[in-house]
């Protein structure tokens, strides 16, 4: 595999004293074997593996404090690790060190049904949480596709299919318990739904990719499961027709719960991977939430708009199992796209632009893809102006990798020129560092100052977001 | 007037060189007269005046850069000033210095109707913005009552009556232009609706009360004016009945656009001040937004819930002018309450608790007020769990001031014991500093570290949030 080593992987071996101390404190939960290090040092996408020197499996906030204190004294990097589903190399051990695996911290600490919130450990996964909540008539809406941990989702400011209606992790997180670089345990906020009490530390840690502190507990806003849920797909003659349907729906105040765009190539991939028979055209996947009457009203309006914009028939997924099959297919779209070629590896891009520029941005990108030799699909959260390209790359071809890198650069620069962002939801990690500076200029210096203030030794997930 | 000087007002006179330089740069926009300094150094509430040494009226971001650079070189504090409507002493010149008045920066720079956003200078007021937007079918929902500047509202993380549906300034601000302590101009984010590009500087500046940088431009999310708007009042036999009606409405997913609680004393004050004839009982003020059919459906459900919880008839404000009169009365509730006694001064408290504790929190507070010798009212944004007590204090009685301070302490500690916050929307300013530490403990040390990193000389609104 080629992969992209974004920075040189210079490192010293772990100090013997640290190995002894971690081994004594954690026993079998401290591991240095090659296989487990590879599991924690590889990426789901195109980045070459960068292995940590060791892995510790934490089971409590106290465990995290212990790891932070021991590693700090030994000046060894700590890389928090959840499900490993991030796509910008966010958990790779650029400078070696200890991968701090929080996936065993999976207790659901409290569900406050009357307050529509819950408190979970950082390793709880979103599907686990929703299974737990279902009987109480509640759900947690943020859905990035992957069955990620809530701590990881907070760290990357994840969003996904429901963000158009329910917001992103920025909006969903009420409070965090964080272990700081100096080993203190802080809680960033109380459980009130809003607060004006000092700096917004919650939002500072959300999206900081483990570089400012280690999130060990997450307090989340929940929502009532709606009385009625309807999902449908609708094919369009043009990308512009699909995008215009969404823009006009939002202008009319329709609270679309989900609205996803998949281009013709992506539909072909989905049909093949998930054994579906959708027309191989640009398609919107819709979901509507509300009372029975209100969902009907929403559907009526959106159908009219779709028809006026060259949309075909709505294909409904009425039963819960049909709806689940539809969204499962959407969630597996990345794997479907990568597997357009056997043995290929994936590269998933991610930009977000103001809605008024979205059709243009997708259109120009589609032109680039049509000229490319690497198969690629477009899919995205069209209600937010956020979309991805997934490339299906030959792992042994550096020419393909260069070609994709060029298209990716063009895409990001196109988005920035439209006052958009280089990443809507994947984060900066290793892959977007130069673009972060292009996007925000000297504001990145402020980020560096904050990093230095909160992690003066630079031991928390070093080499991510910026060098 | 007694007032509360929260910290000693030790200061040196402005350096002669600085006076010369500001005078040369700003001419008549640099002022040192007593009257203008008092205007910028007094509070709407119970704080004693703390005057700046001078006032500069900025008309551009470049002006702000000039003031920051000149004051930094002279080591003189800078206090950003908008409309002066904050209520925790947020703009008082604790350590003297230059009050930097941004209220003349009132250009609406861009309205992007298709993107539902706009860019405004920091001195634009919310009523000005909404008048400007009306013809375009858009509105800006955040409404703290006062006709505050958008820069000030961002700085204090304001919210108000619409927050239950549309969020607070935390949610409404897409991006900020900020002048940093070292005189650089940064933009915190692009105009995309979401982003995962690095630390969330936007949310860090929102609510930082001018202590980390000076906001000069604000990019805001807008909303479509709904097809139908209905407002009504409904009286309840008990506070619990009113609160339960709101909690149950939210549990059923009713997207209440506004829901305000006013206790019997507050209704008495409103009737007198705004010449209304509402029954002098605990009352909810509702507003519903949506399509005609959807508003009807919401109203039906809420009426049933209210009736089941001891609510009386709904009194509707159908015409726009009736609705405006209703909300004008609500917005003037503070003045109505203060003027329960002629010549009184006001003290406005502000806590926010999880919804499940709200009825209890208000109930216990009401008991405290019934035992108090100082007339006081309760009012609040009940859908968020946020409420205020407004005291009508004799300005010459230190006994009354002590009594109110004691009730305020009991209220804040009650809220904190319920996992609530010491301020839902007013900010920390001068009045809540000890409570911030009670609320967040060592997390406040992180805030101090960030302050030190971004404003190492401590010149930006010093003495606010923490000493």
């Amino acid at each position: 595999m080629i992969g992209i080593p974004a920075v040189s992987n210079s490192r010293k071996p772990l100090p013997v004293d640290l190995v002894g101390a971690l081994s004594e404190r954690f026993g079998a939960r401290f591991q240095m074997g090659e296989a487990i290090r590879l599991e924690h040092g590889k990426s789901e996408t195109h980045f070459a593996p960068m292995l940590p020197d060791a892995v510790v499996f934490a089971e409590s906030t106290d465990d995290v404090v212990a790891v932070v204190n021991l590693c700090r004294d030994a000046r060894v990097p700590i890389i928090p690790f959840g499900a490993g589903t991030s796509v910008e190399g966010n958990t790779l051990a650029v400078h070696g060190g200890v991968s701090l695996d929080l996936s065993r911290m999976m207790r659901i600490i409290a569900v406050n049904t009357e307050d529509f919130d819950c408190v979970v450990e950082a390793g709880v996964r979103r599907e686990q949480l929703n299974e737990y909540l279902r009987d109480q008539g509640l759900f947690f809406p943020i859905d990035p596709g992957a069955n990620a941990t809530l701590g990881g989702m907070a760290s990357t400011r994840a969003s996904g299919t429901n963000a158009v209606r329910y917001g992103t992790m920025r909006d969903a997180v009420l409070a965090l318990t964080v272990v700081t670089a100096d080993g203190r345990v802080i809680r960033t906020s109380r459980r009130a739904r809003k607060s004006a009490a000092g700096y917004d530390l919650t939002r500072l840690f959300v999206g900081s990719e483990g570089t400012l502190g280690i999130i060990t507990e997450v307090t989340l806003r929940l929502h009532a499961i709606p009385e009625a849920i309807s999902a449908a797909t609708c094919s369009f003659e043009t990308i512009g027709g699909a995008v215009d349907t969404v823009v006009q729906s939002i202008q009319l105040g329709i609270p679309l719960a989900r609205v996803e765009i998949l281009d013709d190539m992506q539909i072909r991939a989905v049909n093949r991977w998930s054994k579906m028979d959708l027309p191989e055209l640009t398609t919107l996947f819709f979901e509507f939430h509300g009372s029975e009457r209100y969902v009907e009203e929403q559907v009526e309006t959106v159908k009219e708009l779709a028809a006026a914009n060259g949309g075909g028939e709505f294909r409904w997924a009425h039963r819960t199992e049909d709806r689940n099959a539809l969204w499962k297919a959407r969630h597996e779209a990345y794997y479907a796209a990568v597997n357009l070629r056997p043995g290929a590896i994936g590269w998933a891009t991610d930009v977000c632009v103001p809605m008024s520029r979205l059709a243009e941005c997708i259109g120009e990108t589609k032109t680039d893809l049509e000229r490319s030799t690497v198969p690629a699909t477009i899919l995205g959260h069209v209600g937010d102006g956020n979309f991805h390209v997934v490339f299906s790359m030959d792992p042994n071809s550096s020419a393909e990798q260069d070609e994709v890198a060029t298209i990716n650069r063009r895409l990001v620069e196109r988005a920035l020129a439209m006052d958009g962002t280089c990443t809507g939801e994947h984060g900066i990690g290793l892959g977007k560092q130069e673009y972060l500076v292009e996007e925000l200029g000297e504001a990145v210096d402020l980020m560096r100052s904050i990093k230095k203030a909160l992690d003066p030794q630079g031991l928390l997930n070093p080499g991510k977001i910026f060098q």
Side-chain angles (χ1 to χ4, degrees), chain A residues 402-418:
Chain A
D402 291 347
E403 193 180 340
V404 170
T406 302
I407 297 173
N408 188 40
R409 163 163 289 284
R410 284 172 57 85
L411 172 58
V412 169
E413 290 180 346
R414 181 177 301 127
L416 294 181
M418 294 173 173

Side-chain angles (χ1 to χ4, degrees), chain A residues 373-444:
Chain A
T373 62
V374 185
T377 69
I378 291 178
L379 73 167
H381 315 302
V382 67
D384 302 322
N386 181 205
F387 71 95
H388 311 295
V389 179
V390 177
F391 295 92
S392 178
M393 290 194 309
D394 178 347
N396 301 309
S397 165
S398 60
E400 285 203 2
Q401 193 153 290
D402 291 347
E403 193 180 340
V404 170
T406 302
I407 297 173
N408 188 40
R409 163 163 289 284
R410 284 172 57 85
L411 172 58
V412 169
E413 290 180 346
R414 181 177 301 127
L416 294 181
M418 294 173 173
D419 213 357
T421 176
C422 68
T423 169
E425 55 183 22
H426 291 170
I428 299 297
L430 290 176
K432 291 278 175 75
Q433 298 189 359
E434 60 181 317
Y435 301 127
L436 176 65
V437 175
E438 281 185 41
E439 178 170 334
L440 296 177
E442 291 191 297
V444 180

Side-chain angles (χ1 to χ4, degrees), chain A residues 165 225-231 288-300 316 318 323:
Chain A
R165 166 80 167 263
I225 295 176
E227 181 190 325
I229 302 177
S230 283
F288 304 93
H289 292 179
S291 65
E292 296 282 356
R293 263 160 65 186
Y294 189 40
V295 164
E296 265 173 43
E297 187 185 333
Q298 294 175 48
V299 167
E300 253 173 55
W316 291 98
H318 284 297
R323 211 170 58 233

Side-chain angles (χ1 to χ4, degrees), chain A residues 359-369 410 414 418:
Chain A
E360 186 186 352
C361 193
I362 293 180
E364 290 178 13
T365 305
K366 185 79 179 163
T367 305
D368 273 2
L369 299 184
R410 284 172 57 85
R414 181 177 301 127
M418 294 173 173

